[in-house]
Amino acid sequence: MDLFEQHRQTLIEAEAPLAARMRPRNLDEYVGQGAIVGPGRLLRRAIQADQLSSLLFYGPPGTGKTTLAQVIANTTKAHFIAINAVLAGVKDIRSAIATAQDLRGQHGQRTILFVDEVHRFNKSQQDALLPWVENGTVILIGATTENPYFEVNKALVSRSRVFQLKSLEPDDLRQIVYQTLTDKERGYGDRTIQIDEDALDHLVNVANGDARALLNALELAVETTPEVSISLAVAEESIQRRAVLYDKEGDAHFDTISAFIKSMRGSDPDATLYWLARMVYAGEEPRYIFRRMVIFAGEDIGLADPNAMVVANSCAQAFDRVGMPEGRYPLAQAALYLATCPKSNSVMGFFDALATVEKEREADVPNPLRDANRDKKEFGHGQGYLYPHAYRDHWVEQQYLPTGLQGKVFFQPSNQGYEDTIRLEVARKREAQLAAVMEADLPEVLTFGPTDQGQEQWLQRTLGNAGEQLRAVCDRIYSTLKPQRHHVLLDLNAGLLTWEALRQVPEGGVYACAHTPEIYTALTEQAQGLTDLAQPILLATSLTTLPEILSTEASEILFDGIVGRNALKSCPQRQPLLKQLAQHLAANGRIVLAETIPYRALRLYNLLPQQVLPTKLFHQLQRAEDSLYTSDQNQYWDIDAISSWFENTGLVADVELIKSSTELAVTHQLRERWFGSNSNYMQHLAKFLTKTDLERIRQAYIRELKNSLSWETSIALIMVHNPRPS
């Protein structure tokens, strides 16, 4: 770089917009996206360890996609090349590949190729990247505002981990403002700037989760206000209109029209008006909305109200006659009419007939407010939607408005004409919606990555060695926990649950407590079959000292889930331990434990026919063995003792009793473990029986227990959540 180029670069940096100057340089400065780069997450560990694979960042503008790539550029030892798909072509790709090949061949240095707006590349340009990504010549990092499963070459997607970035939360935006006002080098820390609280609230609210829009408005407010005191009036002048993410070919378009239609189908006029307003505000073509309403009138109302099609079509014609802005009246009238109509999908009988003709070809199952046609498997869009036609009266107590607007009333029917006939019905449905017990929203899948076949085969072999009952318990624990791919989990008793956790959270992280040095050594050796990033983080400690170890070695980690199988059976102080673990549990995190109930263990005397022993001796055996399960209440507890474990811990527990039966082979080793002279069982019986009676009982057991027996087990599945607000 010559002197003139250096001077030009210095001027560009000095005169850059505030949003560019304040771009975070490292992970400590990065704000938001905790599910992606929070402590313990796979991506954060990969960046810190400089062990990146190909990545795709997907999300709205201003959420930190390009910034995250810059953070990687500042952190990695690899050569970093950045291009913009809007300006670059195949020639630029070839140049980057040539550079990468030279560096790899001459210096053994890897190359990261960052492609901003990667969806702007056409198919041939994306195809030009594929072989070099596949053979490892470059590590691709792509950033896109469009759904990669629709806009990016499927072959590239299948070879990359996809991370979905969400709009920033209000607290994140406020933190960015405070950083800007205190940063003397890049922000306004060298000035005395006062910003009113209501002005800050306005900037944060209207920025709509977009950090770039927020900083642009803040810069305008500061640079155009002589006294540098930002009031609400100044803030309103700086950012007058909310930034709207709405591309007529993108996710926002499909998701919003999907929510609009499903709100009408659910007979919710308030949500219908809300989603209609969202589309009109964003500039959606009204004729497109009318076309969808005409379709809806036939698909979801049909013969229940044949006038619905007439109204929808008449309103569309009225709109063509009057245009905007007055055309909003027939637009809203048609939407309200369709939303409050009785519903029937009898016209769908045609599609039943069509399915028969097509030999019942599998169809998509409709499931959320968001459109799920393109990424249901990857991001989980579409889960949790309750189909109104499947319920009585074709309606179900389901919220269609966003969480923050639940219960908001936009439509208030009068007592005149047709409205009077629907007024009571609308009111009844609103009351039912508010009174219904709403389950927690299903979390959205934020990450997706290709399956590592070698790792998957290794885990399959490891998990395949588990017994049938143990495998069933493991599956039950994780089906109850329902972890997301980016979650961070803690296994209280390192073993089978640890390996299953690695399968469940491939973009998250797994911590496991190894209670003894022998277990730690064995698991460390077993984990050698995995890459460094894929291995669990083993903590060599007992449960008693686990909270202390977590406070020092994982102080930043809040676990999304904590699991354990028979982890607490040998812990004498369960309540203090659980209270300490609650401090390391995320606000929406859960603990799922499977604990074998000792008191309900199968009594061995039940395996003997009564006639093999004298009645008096058999009753003596019963009393002696039963006393084993009452001598130590802390060790031989029953299911009703579990509630006491959680007293004063801040945790709430639900307990389910699971009973299972397995065939147990009666081997020589098993007989010795149960009936040998040094066994705990026989030593306990010796406290109540003579040596002669004890030997008689032992011989009876050995004689009667031949090949196998049906062993019954009772397990307490303990589901724990932290009720503190997130």
Side-chain angles (χ1 to χ4, degrees):
M1 181 183 296
D2 58 29
L3 185 62
F4 295 104
E5 177 64 20
Q6 183 177 3
H7 178 66
R8 186 177 71 85
Q9 190 65 31
T10 302
L11 285 177
I12 290 175
E13 293 177 359
E15 297 173 357
L18 177 64
R21 300 200 307 271
M22 286 303 300
R23 194 183 294 277
R25 296 162 294 190
N26 53 55
L27 285 174
D28 293 333
E29 294 179 356
Y30 194 85
V31 177
Q33 311 303 341
I36 303 297
V37 292
R41 312 292 177 182
L42 175 72
L43 183 56
R44 187 183 191 93
R45 291 186 283 116
I47 293 173
Q48 292 172 336
D50 196 8
Q51 296 185 19
L52 291 167
S53 58
S54 292
L55 309 170
L56 289 174
F57 297 143
Y58 156 52
T63 52
K65 301 182 297 297
T66 304
T67 296
L68 198 50
Q70 290 296 330
V71 167
I72 293 172
N74 296 337
T75 305
T76 183
K77 295 179 182 178
H79 182 62
F80 192 89
I81 302 175
I83 60 177
N84 190 300
V86 176
L87 304 174
V90 173
K91 179 181 178 181
D92 301 277
I93 296 175
R94 289 173 178 168
S95 174
I97 297 303
T99 301
Q101 290 175 320
D102 290 342
L103 290 173
R104 191 61 179 265
Q106 297 177 16
H107 307 289
Q109 186 180 19
R110 298 179 305 153
T111 298
I112 294 176
L113 175 62
F114 172 61
V115 182
D116 203 3
E117 303 292 337
V118 66
H119 63 278
R120 299 286 187 180
F121 272 158
N122 59 35
K123 186 179 184 301
S124 62
Q125 291 169 321
Q126 293 184 31
D127 287 341
L129 275 174
L130 183 59
W132 310 110
V133 172
E134 192 167 30
N135 66 19
T137 300
V138 295
I139 298 170
L140 173 67
I141 300 180
T144 174
T145 57
E146 301 298 330
N147 192 321
Y149 295 98
F150 187 70
E151 297 290 344
V152 178
N153 186 317
K154 291 182 179 179
L156 280 179
V157 172
S158 69
R159 289 162 176 78
S160 307
R161 288 195 184 273
V162 181
F163 292 90
Q164 183 180 8
L165 281 69
K166 305 296 291 181
S167 297
L168 296 179
E169 298 294 330
D171 288 344
D172 297 331
L173 295 177
R174 288 189 177 88
Q175 184 179 344
I176 291 172
V177 171
Y178 294 140
Q179 282 184 355
T180 304
L181 296 181
T182 55
D183 192 315
K184 294 183 179 181
E185 179 185 351
R186 300 176 298 157
Y188 295 128
D190 56 345
R191 304 191 197 182
T192 303
I193 297 175
Q194 299 292 330
I195 181 169
D196 294 346
E197 192 63 30
D198 54 356
L200 178 58
D201 289 342
H202 176 77
L203 292 176
V204 168
N205 178 48
V206 181
N208 207 27
D210 187 334
R212 187 182 296 107
L214 174 73
L215 290 175
N216 288 342
L218 180 63
E219 181 178 28
L220 181 61
V222 171
E223 301 298 341
T224 58
T225 308
E227 64 273 13
V228 197
S229 177
I230 303 175
S231 63
L232 177 59
V234 173
E236 289 176 339
E237 286 294 323
S238 301
I239 184 169
Q240 297 179 355
R241 181 177 173 88
R242 182 182 303 278
V244 176
L245 174 64
Y246 200 90
D247 185 337
K248 292 183 181 180
E249 298 298 327
D251 275 4
H253 163 77
F254 291 105
D255 289 341
T256 308
I257 193 66
S258 174
F260 172 66
I261 291 170
K262 289 168 183 174
S263 298
M264 290 193 297
R265 182 185 293 146
S267 300
D268 189 328
D270 302 310
T272 297
L273 288 180
Y274 173 80
W275 296 115
L276 177 64
R278 280 270 292 261
M279 289 188 290
V280 172
Y281 182 85
E284 180 61 83
E285 170 57 54
R287 291 177 179 82
Y288 169 75
I289 302 174
F290 272 119
R291 285 198 299 272
R292 297 307 300 265
M293 286 196 289
V294 169
I295 296 170
F296 177 87
E299 179 182 357
D300 288 281
I301 298 174
L303 298 181
D305 185 349
N307 201 41
M309 183 71 74
V310 177
V311 171
N313 195 52
S314 296
C315 287
Q317 292 176 350
F319 176 85
D320 286 337
R321 179 168 295 182
V322 301
M324 291 291 270
E326 290 83 357
R328 289 178 291 188
Y329 292 115
L331 190 65
Q333 180 182 345
L336 286 173
Y337 189 91
L338 298 181
T340 54
C341 274
K343 302 299 188 296
S344 171
N345 64 342
S346 59
V347 71
M348 299 299 288
F350 165 76
F351 296 99
D352 292 338
L354 191 61
T356 302
V357 173
E358 296 177 348
K359 297 183 180 179
E360 298 183 359
R361 189 177 64 184
E362 186 174 279
D364 292 331
V365 179
N367 273 11
L369 290 185
R370 303 193 75 179
D371 176 66
N373 292 328
R374 296 165 298 157
D375 54 12
K376 178 173 58 180
K377 293 182 180 178
E378 291 78 14
F379 288 145
H381 296 170
Q383 295 180 3
Y385 173 62
L386 302 179
Y387 194 56
H389 293 309
Y391 293 82
R392 183 179 178 182
D393 296 330
H394 296 264
W395 185 83
V396 60
E397 295 89 344
Q398 178 175 221
Q399 284 287 353
Y400 299 89
L401 285 167
T403 302
L405 293 176
Q406 289 180 4
K408 185 73 173 176
V409 174
F410 295 101
F411 176 56
Q412 298 185 16
S414 69
N415 58 0
Q416 302 296 313
Y418 173 74
E419 282 190 340
D420 189 41
T421 65
I422 63 172
R423 177 169 53 86
L424 294 178
E425 182 67 11
V426 170
R428 182 187 68 80
K429 289 176 178 176
R430 283 175 178 159
E431 292 169 0
Q433 282 180 313
L434 294 175
V437 178
M438 300 303 296
E439 296 182 358
D441 291 338
L442 287 174
E444 185 175 6
V445 179
L446 300 180
T447 65
F448 181 76
T451 300
D452 185 328
Q453 294 298 332
Q455 176 177 318
E456 181 68 14
Q457 290 174 4
W458 184 92
L459 287 171
Q460 288 283 10
R461 288 196 301 271
T462 302
L463 296 168
N465 292 329
E468 181 179 349
Q469 184 186 41
L470 185 57
R471 181 71 240 184
V473 172
C474 176
D475 291 343
R476 189 64 183 273
I477 287 174
Y478 283 106
S479 65
T480 301
L481 182 64
K482 295 182 176 64
Q484 295 294 292
R485 294 173 62 91
H486 61 276
H487 279 179
V488 179
L489 304 183
L490 169 64
D491 182 3
L492 297 178
N493 193 2
L496 177 69
L497 296 185
T498 305
W499 308 126
E500 179 61 28
L502 293 177
R503 296 185 66 194
Q504 297 278 341
V505 293
E507 281 88 36
V510 177
Y511 287 70
C513 177
H515 295 180
T516 66
E518 292 77 15
I519 294 175
Y520 179 84
T521 301
L523 291 177
T524 300
E525 293 176 354
Q526 196 173 4
Q528 295 305 310
L530 301 172
T531 63
D532 290 343
L533 279 178
Q535 291 182 12
I537 300 170
L538 297 176
L539 305 173
T541 177
S542 65
L543 274 184
T544 306
T545 56
L546 175 61
E548 180 181 345
I549 296 297
L550 290 176
S551 298
T552 55
E553 297 187 18
S555 58
E556 295 182 344
I557 305 296
L558 287 177
F559 295 102
D560 300 290
I562 299 176
V563 297
R565 187 186 68 84
N566 290 339
L568 303 182
K569 67 176 183 179
S570 59
C571 180
Q573 302 295 326
R574 301 183 181 99
Q575 191 179 53
L577 171 67
L578 289 166
K579 187 173 183 179
Q580 290 174 308
L581 287 177
Q583 304 304 314
H584 297 277
L585 190 65
N588 294 321
R590 292 198 294 173
I591 303 175
V592 180
L593 307 172
E595 296 285 333
T596 303
I597 305 175
Y599 184 78
R600 298 187 179 226
L602 178 67
R603 303 296 192 262
L604 293 182
Y605 60 72
N606 287 331
L607 301 175
L608 290 176
Q610 292 190 21
Q611 61 270 22
V612 303
L613 292 173
T615 303
K616 182 179 179 181
L617 181 57
F618 186 80
H619 289 162
Q620 286 179 309
L621 171 61
Q622 286 181 313
R623 288 192 295 270
E625 186 173 347
D626 286 340
S627 69
L628 177 65
Y629 297 93
T630 57
S631 59
D632 186 346
Q633 292 297 329
N634 188 47
Q635 182 177 358
Y636 295 102
W637 49 271
D638 198 0
I639 193 168
D640 55 1
I642 296 176
S643 59
S644 64
W645 300 356
F646 297 91
E647 293 176 356
N648 302 318
T649 63
L651 300 171
V652 177
D654 296 316
V655 183
E656 180 182 349
L657 180 64
I658 303 174
K659 293 186 177 182
S660 63
S661 178
T662 56
E663 287 297 312
L664 184 64
V666 180
T667 62
H668 173 73
Q669 291 80 2
L670 180 65
R671 292 192 184 97
E672 280 298 309
R673 182 155 55 90
W674 282 356
F675 311 122
S677 58
N678 294 324
S679 72
N680 293 334
Y681 178 69
M682 298 303 288
Q683 287 180 355
H684 176 78
L685 295 184
K687 299 175 184 178
F688 304 89
L689 301 166
T690 66
K691 288 184 178 180
T692 302
D693 289 340
L694 193 63
E695 180 61 22
R696 190 173 183 180
I697 290 171
R698 191 176 77 86
Q699 292 299 329
Y701 274 127
I702 293 175
R703 185 172 59 252
E704 294 297 328
L705 301 184
K706 298 290 186 180
N707 299 319
S708 65
L709 56 88
S710 179
W711 185 262
E712 297 178 356
T713 306
S714 295
I715 298 173
L717 184 67
I718 309 169
M719 298 154 283
V720 188
H721 69 275
N722 191 341
R724 77 175 188 264
S726 58

